[in-house]
Amino acid sequence: MSTEGEGTEPVRWRTAMEAALYGPQGFYVRPGGPGPAGHFRTSVHASPLFAGAVARLLLWVDAELGRPAELDLVDVGAGRGELLTGVLAALPVEVAARVRAYGVERAAEPQGLDPRIRWVARPPGRTRGLLFANEWLDNVPLDVARDGRYVLVAPDGTESTGGPLEEADRLWLERWWPRAGAEPGERAEIGRARDEAWAAAVAGVERGLAVAVDYAHTREARPPYGTLTGFRAGREVPPVPDGSCDVTAHVALDACAGAGAGLLTQREALGALGVSGARPPLALASSDPAAYVRGLAGAGEAAELTGAGGLGDFGWLVQPVGLAAWPG
């Protein structure tokens, strides 16, 4: 599959990703597709425990704001609205009635969407509440560098060497990816576009909390050959930018972080929000077998959300705006 209007000449990865993901027939916007859930498994799809944890985080924000008459919940990169639907279902009825829910997505509004959810192309301004971005920044297009020059890519995935780095990108690498170019052939993913996208989203929060959750790495442990890859139908595939697969790269969340932000793992964040992989007591198997089975299922789902080497290693960037730091 090729994206409509694309050329055949190699271009910088940022340009190629934009067309492959968000062009007229791009992976995320073409009509009739199964949506992200048909190609990869996120925390939202793994268990309703994740939406429940986000609901508890929203309750904390609500209390900090003094329980306002209108409470904003903004999901950036909303997919098909699964997280918003789950959070609204998990909230107390009184709180859900006050929530203004926004699904921010470049794809068209999905059929059957909960009518309480407003489907928009960009985050609303003057948000007072919680802005949550689960696996959004990893799909913000970015450039790739090698040996001080841009990496170019053709629609079939063939790479070549481009021109020297622009000053702003060179300076970003010096600050945030210090080993870029340390060895010939090493690659670096220039996260400046992600920093700018996150800053723009946070700028719309008047008072509340902004949270980004994603595959992440930090300055001290940048991967020497980068993380750019593709996903299709639940499998990792080469990142061919023709619209046939997701094209993604891990996020330098520490570079995105603004003043007062905190960084923690999903394991730590969900633990603070009451998600535990502890098994139910064995005695429950005798006194209430159905409850014991439900408890086992919940423990298994929690273990997947918090497990080492998987979803539990995701990074959470927590940015308060006009609030005290989240105690988690």
Side-chain angles (χ1 to χ4, degrees), residues 123 131 136 196-206 210-211 256 258 317 319-321:
L131 181 143
W136 167 57
E196 294 169 353
W198 181 244
V202 174
V205 180
E206 187 174 85
V211 179
C256 297
L317 167 58
Q319 178 76 58
V321 180

Side-chain angles (χ1 to χ4, degrees), residues 37-136:
H39 294 277
F40 48 85
R41 184 176 175 86
T42 73
S43 297
V44 178
H45 309 122
S47 170
L49 294 175
F50 188 79
V54 176
R56 288 189 288 277
L57 184 60
L58 180 61
L59 291 174
W60 178 84
V61 173
D62 184 39
E64 290 293 301
L65 293 175
R67 297 180 175 82
E70 293 183 330
L71 177 65
D72 293 325
L73 173 60
V74 181
D75 182 10
V76 185
R80 296 296 187 266
E82 300 97 330
L83 178 60
L84 288 171
T85 301
V87 172
L88 289 171
L91 288 170
V93 173
E94 179 276 330
V95 178
R98 293 188 284 111
V99 168
R100 295 190 301 183
Y102 296 88
V104 182
E105 186 58 77
R106 294 172 69 171
E109 178 178 329
Q111 293 184 348
L113 184 70
D114 188 318
R116 294 174 292 178
I117 299 172
R118 310 176 192 196
W119 204 253
V120 295
R122 59 185 59 84
R126 303 180 66 83
T127 295
R128 295 177 66 87
L130 175 63
L131 181 143
F132 202 87
N134 184 62
E135 295 196 46
W136 167 57

